Amino acid sequence: MFGTVSTVPELATRSASVRMSIRLRGANRLRGKWPCPTSPCLLQQRKRNLRGGSEKGRRRCALNLVVSLLAVSIGAGTQGRAHMPRIGILSYVAAPSGTSQDPRFAGFRKGLRELGYMEKKNILIELRYAEGQPDRLAAQAAELVQLNVDVLVAFGPAAREAARKATSTIPIVTVSGSDPIREGWARSFAHPGGNVTGLTVVFPELVPKCLEFLKEAFPAVVRVAVLIDPTEVVDAKEVVQEMDDGARRLGLQLQVLEVRGPNDFDAAFTLARQRNAQALFPLAAVAHRSRLATLALRDHLLSISEFPLMTQAGFLMSYGADLDDLGRRAVTKMDKILKGEHPGDVPIERPTKFQLSINLKTAKALGIEIPRSLLLRANEVIE
């Protein structure tokens, strides 16, 4: 009734023969000699073979058809997975925890959803956080390059520079800096020319605007300590010069304190006290915002920044770009690159949305009042 029953060795031999047949046919098909195993003409032929011929022939034909369809299915699934883009994200700050979130990455996730990207379904994300330690960045950037990510997203100047040193071929999208030409990572805003594009966070006119808000709120302030780390601000000399020009117009005196990481903070604050500084303005230093806010409060310094998330960490006041919006817009850059555009042809953009943020809890701890006119203009008031 069932014909000859094959033994296990016979089935193994037959399966090996079938696999070899499939490989040979696949090779011939690439040369144009064989039709696709699921082509209409071949399927019709196999149906005819199933209807006629010996029992043994029908079983063999059925087995060939099943294995062919299975091979095509597996191949299609593997091809789909192989084309899932892998994105590396390199950040100088600490990994998100509790209420401490990097709005750039939060905005980046929003941008992914808006463009239809779903993590682990049609995109893979590799995260690396330096926790505010610049010596980690080189190794982390190298790891992402070894993973052969399709695009490397760098948050912050230090992360951007580590990424640039690690690769000159993998496209880099950065959210950092103020002047990409002066900082050396682009030929122009319209045509960056290399493997880096993205969005700047600050620009020359922004810092003087922060100082304007400080002077408006506290007209008696004269001496402002400026904390700057060349590791984070690669064009520190030019930035300080631009800042000083704006400060002089407002009758402010800048006291520049250069640091090389958080280990220099205590000495810098000691020097600020000796110079009778009245306010603190750190350039960048986002990764150490909580500690800087605590030290400023201890020394009764009016702390201001160009990054709104500094106010959320305890700074008195900040005015700067909406980092959430910049993170969201970075996805648009990434998307263009994944669709075939060269990063050197994707224009660099500046911030278009800004936030004035005021922390009334810090004001109360300092025993000061913020003018109502300023509070009414604030986008965020922390109470």
Side-chain angles (χ1 to χ4, degrees):
M1 179 178 178
F2 293 100
T4 304
V5 178
S6 300
T7 63
V8 171
E10 289 173 340
L11 287 173
T13 302
R14 186 178 303 163
S15 298
S17 299
V18 170
R19 289 194 297 271
M20 179 60 73
S21 174
I22 291 171
R23 285 197 292 270
L24 290 173
R25 291 180 184 184
N28 286 328
R29 187 166 61 252
L30 290 174
R31 301 186 189 101
K33 296 182 179 180
W34 285 89
C36 173
T38 56
S39 65
C41 60
L42 193 57
L43 289 175
Q44 289 298 325
Q45 179 62 43
R46 285 174 176 168
K47 287 179 181 178
R48 287 195 293 270
N49 291 342
L50 286 172
R51 288 196 294 269
S54 65
E55 188 70 28
K56 183 176 181 180
R58 285 196 296 271
R59 287 201 305 272
R60 180 175 296 172
C61 186
L63 180 59
N64 281 343
L65 180 60
V66 170
V67 174
S68 296
L69 291 171
L70 181 61
V72 171
S73 175
I74 292 173
T78 303
Q79 185 179 23
R81 287 193 297 272
H83 283 83
M84 187 182 296
R86 185 186 296 268
I87 307 302
I89 294 182
L90 184 64
S91 178
Y92 182 59
V93 304
S97 61
T99 57
S100 179
Q101 303 286 332
D102 184 348
R104 292 169 296 189
F105 186 52
F108 189 83
R109 286 196 179 279
K110 289 179 186 176
L112 289 175
R113 291 193 295 270
E114 289 174 3
L115 292 184
Y117 289 105
M118 295 177 286
E119 193 172 349
K120 297 182 180 179
K121 291 187 178 180
N122 60 2
I123 195 168
L124 299 173
I125 305 292
E126 297 286 348
L127 297 168
R128 297 294 185 275
Y129 293 97
E131 307 287 337
Q133 300 182 43
D135 54 331
R136 290 187 180 182
L137 287 168
Q140 291 176 331
E143 286 176 16
L144 294 173
V145 171
Q146 284 290 98
L147 289 172
N148 197 28
V149 295
D150 295 283
V151 179
L152 204 165
V153 179
F155 290 135
R160 180 197 68 226
E161 292 306 300
R164 289 181 63 212
K165 290 176 183 176
T167 180
S168 60
T169 55
I170 295 176
I172 298 171
V173 174
T174 185
V175 179
S176 65
S178 59
D179 189 331
I181 297 94
R182 188 172 68 194
E183 292 163 354
W185 54 277
R187 295 174 188 169
S188 69
F189 275 84
H191 298 284
N195 67 317
V196 188
T197 187
L199 300 107
T200 62
V201 177
V202 296
F203 48 87
E205 298 83 7
L206 184 59
V207 172
K209 188 66 178 177
C210 293
L211 294 175
E212 282 183 27
F213 282 123
L214 173 67
K215 193 68 174 177
E216 179 182 344
F218 309 102
V221 170
V222 176
R223 296 175 297 280
V224 180
V226 178
L227 198 70
I228 188 166
D229 186 344
T231 305
E232 289 196 70
V233 186
V234 295
D235 55 341
K237 182 179 179 180
E238 292 81 2
V239 170
V240 169
Q241 183 60 56
E242 291 168 351
M243 189 176 183
D244 190 53
D245 291 342
R248 289 184 180 184
R249 288 194 294 269
L250 296 168
L252 296 172
Q253 300 172 8
L254 301 186
Q255 303 171 351
V256 180
L257 306 173
E258 185 175 305
V259 296
R260 297 278 177 174
N263 291 336
D264 292 343
F265 286 172
D266 288 333
F269 274 82
T270 297
L271 191 56
R273 288 196 301 271
Q274 291 172 354
R275 294 178 177 177
N276 297 314
Q278 298 165 290
L280 172 72
F281 195 145
L283 294 175
V286 173
H288 310 291
R289 54 192 181 276
S290 295
R291 185 180 173 193
L292 289 174
T294 300
L295 291 172
L297 186 61
R298 180 199 67 186
D299 290 351
H300 210 77
L301 294 173
L302 306 173
S303 50
I304 61 170
S305 173
E306 56 199 337
F307 297 102
L309 77 166
M310 301 287 268
T311 311
Q312 297 163 11
F315 268 57
L316 176 65
M317 184 189 309
S318 64
Y319 177 75
D322 184 333
L323 297 179
D324 184 281
D325 180 64
L326 292 181
R328 184 182 59 80
R329 289 165 62 192
V331 180
T332 304
K333 307 287 184 187
M334 178 208 77
D335 182 61
K336 288 181 178 180
I337 293 169
L338 291 178
K339 289 178 178 176
E341 288 194 44
H342 191 280
D345 297 325
V346 178
I348 298 166
E349 298 180 48
R350 283 181 167 181
T352 55
K353 294 184 179 180
F354 301 90
Q355 284 183 272
L356 173 60
S357 180
I358 297 172
N359 192 320
L360 289 182
K361 291 171 63 177
T362 301
K364 183 177 180 181
L366 290 169
I368 59 177
E369 290 188 6
I370 305 293
R372 181 172 174 77
S373 60
L374 206 57
L375 289 173
L376 291 174
R377 288 148 59 193
N379 303 94
E380 178 184 44
V381 177
I382 300 172
E383 300 184 78

